[in-house]
Amino acid sequence: MGYTGSPSSERALAYASGMARRAGAGLVVVHVTYQWPTVDWCAGGEALVAIDLPDDSADDLTDALARTGQLTQVPWVAVHTRGDARSELEEISRQYAADAIVVGASHSITARLFSRVGSRLARHPRRPVIIIP
């Protein structure tokens, strides 16, 4: 399941936690930090490089998830990665042989401008995608 700390991702966490508990399964909670591509002017403006935005460390993510109180009844692991959210969620779900990907609906202006993660996942799904409003 994708997690950003937003209200919709909190609802998605509650849903995924309940789903895992009922199935007697574990939960992989993924937080992806986006890397903005930019032109590398030192190389003549041809190559693209990625700029890391400030992000939470994996320890901060684990602490924040533990404080939610929603993960007390299921085994879980937190994964913090960088890149494109859709690609990273698909890759991590493949690595962990996930039954489904659960994400919260995106409501931010950035999501509207650059396409919502849930919509992008649902266009060509490799496994079930559940989008929580």
Side-chain angles (χ1 to χ4, degrees):
M1 79 129 315
Y3 182 80
T4 63
S6 68
S8 65
S9 73
E10 293 288 337
R11 289 188 295 276
L13 179 63
Y15 182 88
S17 172
M19 194 168 91
R21 187 184 73 251
R22 287 185 297 278
L27 186 63
V28 179
V29 183
V30 181
H31 180 266
V32 181
T33 302
Y34 185 74
Q35 293 179 318
W36 291 93
T38 185
V39 176
D40 183 359
W41 295 107
C42 297
E46 296 174 8
L48 289 177
V49 297
I51 297 176
D52 287 339
L53 296 176
D55 58 15
D56 297 324
S57 71
D59 293 337
D60 291 344
L61 174 61
T62 302
D63 292 344
L65 289 168
R67 282 193 304 272
T68 66
Q70 296 181 35
L71 300 171
T72 57
Q73 298 179 359
V74 295
W76 61 279
V77 61
V79 177
H80 183 258
T81 186
R82 292 188 174 110
D84 173 63
R86 182 197 55 83
S87 300
E88 293 298 320
L89 287 170
E90 285 180 344
E91 176 61 23
I92 291 168
S93 68
R94 185 191 62 74
Q95 289 174 2
Y96 283 89
D99 293 330
I101 298 174
V102 180
V103 294
S106 303
H107 299 290
S108 71
I109 189 69
T110 306
R112 290 182 186 139
L113 291 173
F114 297 110
S115 182
R116 293 174 169 99
V117 173
S119 299
R120 290 174 42 218
L121 282 166
R123 278 190 202 123
H124 303 287
R126 295 190 176 130
R127 60 192 22 84
V129 175
I130 302 167
I131 304 170
I132 306 300

